[in-house]
C-alpha cells in the first residue's frame, strides 16, 4: 500500500477505533485527484452507517477534533503535523511537508523498497513462452514470453517461490504433417543451412497441398501414430527437428534476458498420460463419440473435452491434464499459472473442468492468464500461411534504430552498442507490457522507440538523467541507498529543501511503488507497474525542470540528490521487474 496512506490509516485509527480497524481504514483511504484537495482523503460513508449520522457531519467533527491538537504520531516517533479539512463527506488530510518529506524519503532509498514477503511459503508454477518445435520464434511468441517473465519477477519480488516452465510444443499432429512434408519435399542440405526457415517452408507447403489433396491429412495422422508408437525413423527425424529448434530458441531467449527453471516439452508427459486416461475410465467419465473418447461437460456449459482420438492417439487436453497433475503433485505448485493466448480460453476451461470432475484439488490451483493478439501493421500472424515476422529481425531493426538515435543524442557514448541493445529491445518489451494483456496490440516500432511519450526509452532516459545528476553531484546510488537521514540535513532541514510542490508530488508517487507491485500481482497484470514507471518518470522530469537540483547550497543539493537517487533506484528496480535493463548513460 502507498506509504502515505498507511501512515494516514495509523493516525486516523484512534479517532474511529470503535467503528473501523486499521485495515478497514486503509482500504477506503484515497489519493485525491487534485493535490490541492490534500494528500489523502478519508470518505466517511462507512462511518455514517456505523454512527448513524450524515457523512458530512462526521467529516466536520473529525476535522475539528484533529485541528484541536488531538493528533498523535503513533508508530512514527514524535507527533507530526497534519492539517485536516472537511470537504463534504470527505476528510481531506494535508501532511506538513517539512516534517513528512524525510519520513517518505528514507524508505525509498532502501535497495529492496517495494519488495515484500506477502507470498512467502507459496510456490507458483508459471507456464510461459511455449513455442512450437520446427516453427519460427515470431513476434507472436513475444507476449507470452515477456508477460510471463515480468509476472515471474513480480511474484518473486512479493516473496513467492516461482518456478518458470517453458512448455515446448514438441508433440502432436503437427509433427505428423512436418514428417510427411519432409519425406515428400524435404531437402537435407537446405534444412541444415536454414533449419527454421526450411521447416516453415515445408509446413506451409503441406497446408497448401492438403487443400488440393485431403488424403495428406490422413498420411500425416499416420506419421504421428508411428511417432507415438516408437517408429525408429519417425523418432530420428523428430529428435533432429527438436535439437535445432532448441538451439534457435535459446539464442533468442539469451538476447531477451529470459531464463527458465525447466524446459519440458509436451513429450515429457507421454508416459504420464495413460494414468490419466485410466483414471478417467475408472471414474466412468469417458464416453465414446464417433470412435473418439471424450469427457462430457454439458453441466458446466461446455462442449465435450476430447481425450483420445478415434485412432487412439492423444491430444492437447490429455497432455495438459497430465501436466497439471504433475505440476501440482510432483513439483509442489500451490498456484499454477498459464500465460497462454486468449484463443485457448475454451481449451483451459475444459481441462480445468475435467480436473474438477476427477475430484482433483489441482483444479482450484489453476489459472489461465490470457492475452490479446499482437499485430504488426494491422496484420495477424499465421504460421500455416507463412505470415510470420521473425522476432530476431524485429529486434535487429529496433537495435539499429536505437543506435542511430543514441548516436545523434550522445555521439561520444562509450558503450553505445550495449546501450542500443538495451534500449532497442527494451522499447519492444515495454511497448508490449504497457498495454493491458487482454488488449489487441497493433505494434509500431517507430512509436515504441520514441524518447518522449509513453515508451520504454522515455523511462530509461529519465533514469539515465537521474544517474547523470548523481554522477555530477558526486553521490552514487550505492551510497544513497539506506542513507541515514538523521544527520546534518535530517529532519525538517531536509524536508525544507524538498517542500516544493514538484518534489513533494514526486515523493508521494514513489511511495506508491509497493502498491503498484501488489496491484500487478492481484490482477496478474504487468501493465500496472509499467504505468506506474511512466508516471514516476513524468513526476521526476517535472521536478527536474521546475526546481534546481545542483545548487550553491550544499544541504539543498544533497537533499535533492537523495530524491534523484530514490527515483533512479525505483525506476531501475521497476524496469528490471519488467525485464528491461537500465543504462546509466544514454
Amino acid at each position: 500500500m502507498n506509504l502515505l496512506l498507511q501512515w494516514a490509516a495509523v493516525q486516523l485509527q484512534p479517532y474511529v477505533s470503535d467503528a473501523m480497524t486499521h485495515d478497514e481504514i486503509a482500504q477506503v483511504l484515497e489519493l485525491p485527484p487534485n493535490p490541492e484537495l490534500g494528500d489523502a482523503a478519508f470518505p466517511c460513508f462507512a462511518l455514517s452507517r456505523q454512527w448513524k449520522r450524515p457523512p458530512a457531519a462526521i467529516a466536520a467533527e473529525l476535522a475539528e477534533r484533529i485541528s484541536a491538537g488531538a493528533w498523535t504520531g503513533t508508530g512514527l516517533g514524535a507527533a507530526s503535523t497534519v492539517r485536516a479539512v472537511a470537504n463534504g463527506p470527505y476528510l481531506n488530510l494535508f501532511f506538513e511537508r517539512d516534517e513528512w518529506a524525510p519520513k517518505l524519503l528514507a524508505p525509498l532509498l532502501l535497495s529492496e523498497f517495494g519488495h515484500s514477503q506477502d507470498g512467502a511459503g507459496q510456490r507458483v508454477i508459471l507456464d510461459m513462452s511455449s513455442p512450437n518445435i520446427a516453427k519460427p520464434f515470431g513476434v507472436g511468441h513475444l507476449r507470452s514470453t515477456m508477460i510471463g517473465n515480468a509476472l515471474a519477477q513480480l511474484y518473486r519480488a512479493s516473496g513467492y517461490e516461482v518456478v518458470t516452465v517453458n512448455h515446448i510444443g514438441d508433440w502432436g499432429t503437427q509433427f505428423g504433417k512436418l514428417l510427411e512434408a519432409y519425406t515428400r519435399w524435404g531437402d537435407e542440405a537446405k534444412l541444415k543451412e536454414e533449419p527454421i526457415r526450411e521447416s516453415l517452408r515445408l509446413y506451409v507447403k503441406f497446408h497448401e497441398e492438403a487443400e488440393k489433396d485431403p488424403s495428406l491429412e490422413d498420411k500425416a495422422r499416420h506419421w504421428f501414430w508411428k511417432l507415438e508408437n516408437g517408429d525408429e525413423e519417425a523418432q530420428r527425424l523428430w529428435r533432429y527437428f527438436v535439437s535445432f529448434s532448441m538451439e534457435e530458441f535459446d539464442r533468442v531467449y539469451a538476447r531477451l534476458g529470459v531464463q527458465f527453471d525447466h524446459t519440458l516439452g509436451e513429450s515429457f508427459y507421454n508416459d504420464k498420460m495413460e494414468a490419466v486416461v485410466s483414471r478417467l475410465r475408472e471414474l466412468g467419465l469417458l464416453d465414446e463419440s464417433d470412435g473418439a473418447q471424450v469427457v462430457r461437460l454439458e453441466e458446466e456449459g461446455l462442449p465435450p473435452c476430447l481425450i483420445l482420438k478415434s485412432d487412439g492417439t492423444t491430444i492437447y487436453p490429455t497432455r495438459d491434464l497430465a501436466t497439471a497433475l504433475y505440476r501440482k503433485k510432483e513439483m509442489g505448485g500451490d498456484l499454477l499459472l498459464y500465460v497462454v493466448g486468449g484463443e485457448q480460453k475454451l481449451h483451459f476451461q475444459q481441462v480445468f473442468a475435467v480436473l474438477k470432475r476427477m475430484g482433483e484439488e489441482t483444479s482450484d490451483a489453476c489459472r489461465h492468464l490470457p492475452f490479446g493478439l499482437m499485430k504488426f501493421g494491422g496484420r495477424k500472424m499465421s504460421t500455416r500461411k507463412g505470415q510470420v515476422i521473425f522476432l530476431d529481425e524485429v529486434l535487429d531493426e529496433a537495435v539499429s534504430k536505437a543506435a542511430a538515435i543514441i548516436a545523434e543524442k550522445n555521439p561520444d557514448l562509450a558503450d553505445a552498442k550495449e546501450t542500443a541493445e538495451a534500449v532497442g529491445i527494451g522499447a519492444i518489451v515495454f511497448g508490449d507490457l504497457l498495454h493491458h494483456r487482454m488488449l489487441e496490440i497493433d505494434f509500431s516500432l517507430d512509436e515504441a522507440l520514441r524518447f518522449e511519450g509513453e515508451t520504454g526509452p522515455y523511462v530509461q532516459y529519465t533514469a539515465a538523467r537521474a544517474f547523470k545528476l548523481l554522477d555530477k553531484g558526486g553521490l552514487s546510488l550505492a551510497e544513497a541507498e539506506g542513507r541515514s537521514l538523521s544527520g546534518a540535513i535530517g529532519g525538517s532541514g531536509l524536508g525544507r529543501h524538498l517542500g516544493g510542490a514538484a518534489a513533494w508530488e514526486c515523493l508521494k508517487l514513489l511511495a506508491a511503488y509497493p502498491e503498484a507491485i501488489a496491484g500487478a500481482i492481484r490482477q496478474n497484470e504487468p501493465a500496472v507497474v509499467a504505468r506506474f514507471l511512466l508516471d514516476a518518470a513524468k513526476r521526476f522530469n517535472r521536478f527536474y525542470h521546475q526546481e534546481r537540483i545542483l545548487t550553491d547550497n550544499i544541504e539543498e543539493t544533497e537533499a535533492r540528490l537523495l530524491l534523484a537517487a530514490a527515483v533512479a533506484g525505483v525506476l531501475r528496480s521497476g524496469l528490471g521487474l519488467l525485464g528491461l535493463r537500465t543504462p546509466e548513460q544514454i
Side-chain angles (χ1 to χ4, degrees):
M1 184 180 178
N2 186 306
L3 287 177
L4 209 59
L5 297 187
Q6 284 186 24
W7 294 340
V10 169
Q11 301 283 0
L12 276 171
Q13 211 272 326
Y15 296 92
V16 297
S17 57
D18 62 327
M20 298 178 74
T21 66
H22 171 272
D23 288 344
E24 289 170 338
I25 298 169
Q27 287 172 10
V28 299
L29 277 167
E30 301 173 4
L31 291 172
N34 186 335
E36 294 179 1
L37 294 175
D39 300 311
F42 176 64
C44 297
F45 303 105
L47 283 177
S48 178
R49 291 190 291 272
Q50 294 278 340
W51 290 352
K52 301 188 185 308
R53 294 172 54 201
I58 294 173
E61 179 192 331
L62 287 174
E64 185 177 349
R65 289 175 61 193
I66 291 169
S67 298
W71 194 277
T72 67
T74 307
L76 296 170
S80 301
T81 306
V82 179
R83 184 163 55 94
V85 177
N87 185 1
Y90 286 87
L91 179 70
N92 290 345
L93 306 176
F94 296 79
F95 289 78
E96 180 60 46
R97 296 174 185 178
D98 285 5
E99 191 73 30
W100 285 89
K103 289 183 172 66
L104 272 182
L105 180 59
L108 302 182
L109 294 172
L110 299 174
S111 59
E112 292 298 302
F113 175 67
H115 291 219
S116 73
Q117 290 299 309
D118 292 346
Q122 297 184 66
R123 176 178 289 182
V124 176
I125 312 295
L126 199 152
D127 182 317
M128 54 182 274
S129 194
S130 308
N132 291 320
I133 292 297
K135 292 182 182 178
F137 200 109
V139 294
H141 296 102
L142 182 71
R143 300 216 73 194
S144 175
T145 304
M146 301 317 299
I147 292 171
N149 185 64
L151 286 174
Q153 300 302 330
L154 288 163
Y155 271 91
R156 287 186 180 115
S158 300
Y160 293 83
E161 180 188 358
V162 179
V163 179
T164 53
V165 181
N166 195 0
H167 188 65
I168 298 291
D170 69 346
W171 208 249
T173 53
Q174 75 269 22
F175 280 96
K177 296 175 182 179
L178 186 60
L179 297 179
E180 176 66 21
Y182 179 71
T183 55
R184 281 177 175 267
W185 310 294
D187 183 320
E188 188 173 354
K190 285 185 178 178
L191 195 63
K192 286 183 177 179
E193 184 180 353
E194 289 190 306
I196 297 295
R197 291 183 184 274
E198 178 63 10
S199 299
L200 176 61
R201 182 189 73 81
L202 292 172
Y203 191 72
V204 172
K205 186 170 180 63
F206 175 88
H207 286 281
E208 290 173 347
E209 296 298 324
E211 289 183 6
K212 307 171 194 173
D213 181 6
S215 69
L216 287 175
E217 296 283 357
D218 291 329
K219 291 182 174 64
R221 279 190 284 271
H222 183 63
W223 265 111
F224 182 55
W225 179 88
K226 289 167 67 176
L227 183 61
E228 281 213 309
N229 285 274
D231 178 83
E232 187 176 329
E233 178 63 6
Q235 292 272 333
R236 183 187 70 80
L237 289 172
W238 171 76
R239 284 192 294 269
Y240 178 57
F241 284 114
V242 169
S243 65
F244 69 65
S245 293
M246 288 310 304
E247 287 179 11
E248 175 69 7
F249 295 160
D250 288 343
R251 188 179 59 78
V252 176
Y253 289 134
R255 197 169 183 191
L256 291 171
V258 173
Q259 296 180 326
F260 300 93
D261 296 305
H262 298 284
T263 296
L264 300 174
E266 292 180 52
S267 61
F268 176 79
Y269 303 96
N270 284 348
D271 62 353
K272 300 167 182 60
M273 288 186 285
E274 182 55 40
V276 174
V277 176
S278 297
R279 177 80 187 284
L280 290 171
R281 281 202 184 98
E282 291 170 7
L283 293 170
L285 294 175
L286 284 182
D287 281 342
E288 186 175 327
S289 176
D290 296 327
Q293 298 290 308
V294 303
V295 175
R296 300 195 182 278
L297 300 171
E298 285 85 353
E299 292 181 14
E300 288 81 2
L302 298 170
C305 182
L306 181 59
I307 301 298
L308 291 175
K309 292 186 283 188
S310 56
D311 62 1
T313 56
T314 57
I315 195 167
Y316 291 117
T318 326
R319 290 188 284 278
D320 279 343
L321 287 168
T323 301
L325 292 171
Y326 182 83
R327 290 175 181 172
K328 178 66 178 175
K329 296 180 178 181
E330 302 300 324
M331 299 179 76
D334 298 299
L335 187 60
L336 310 183
L337 303 181
Y338 296 80
V339 186
V340 182
E343 68 276 7
Q344 296 296 320
K345 179 180 178 181
L346 175 60
H347 166 77
F348 282 107
Q349 286 177 327
Q350 291 176 305
V351 169
F352 299 163
V354 172
L355 285 170
K356 195 159 193 174
R357 283 285 193 91
M358 294 170 71
E360 294 288 349
E361 63 178 15
T362 309
S363 62
D364 296 327
C366 295
R367 304 283 188 278
H368 174 212
L369 307 181
F371 53 85
L373 290 172
M374 176 180 277
K375 297 180 179 180
F376 270 67
R379 285 195 301 147
K380 178 182 175 182
M381 303 300 105
S382 170
T383 308
R384 290 187 177 191
K385 297 179 181 179
Q387 296 173 344
V388 177
I389 298 176
F390 284 68
L391 180 58
D392 235 12
E393 294 177 355
V394 177
L395 297 180
D396 286 343
E397 185 179 356
V399 171
S400 176
K401 289 187 173 184
I405 296 170
I406 291 168
E408 185 177 341
K409 283 182 170 291
N410 190 355
D412 299 321
L413 185 62
D415 53 353
K417 184 177 180 181
E418 293 79 4
T419 302
E421 187 84 2
V423 172
I425 293 176
I428 294 174
V429 173
F430 194 88
D432 177 2
L433 299 180
L434 177 62
H435 304 281
H436 189 286
R437 57 181 163 80
M438 279 308 298
L439 292 178
E440 185 176 278
I441 298 175
D442 194 358
F443 194 83
S444 167
L445 188 55
D446 288 336
E447 283 296 311
L449 278 165
R450 292 172 57 214
F451 275 69
E452 62 281 329
E454 299 188 333
T455 69
Y458 171 73
V459 179
Q460 288 172 315
Y461 187 68
T462 301
R465 168 174 281 168
F467 277 111
K468 187 175 182 179
L469 281 169
L470 294 178
D471 186 55
K472 284 186 175 180
L475 178 69
S476 71
L477 186 58
E479 291 170 335
E481 287 177 346
R483 176 82 165 267
S484 170
L485 302 185
S486 59
I489 62 165
S492 61
L494 184 147
R496 186 170 60 254
H497 298 305
L498 295 177
W504 177 246
E505 291 303 313
C506 188
L507 276 170
K508 286 200 303 179
L509 184 71
L510 293 178
Y513 182 45
E515 173 56 24
I517 295 176
I521 293 295
R522 282 196 302 272
Q523 302 173 44
N524 285 304
E525 183 54 82
V528 175
V529 170
R531 288 283 169 187
F532 168 84
L533 294 176
L534 277 175
D535 290 341
K538 291 174 185 175
R539 291 282 178 93
F540 175 69
N541 282 321
R542 195 174 301 141
F543 164 62
Y544 176 83
H545 289 295
Q546 291 183 8
E547 301 184 30
R548 286 185 62 199
I549 297 174
L550 302 176
T551 71
D552 295 332
N553 185 312
I554 296 175
E555 290 186 355
E556 183 179 56
T557 295
E558 189 170 359
R560 293 176 179 177
L561 279 176
L562 286 172
L563 176 53
V567 171
V570 168
L571 292 184
R572 185 171 68 177
S573 169
L575 287 170
L577 292 179
L578 297 183
L580 281 76
R581 286 176 284 162
T582 308
E584 295 191 9
Q585 293 186 63
I586 295 180

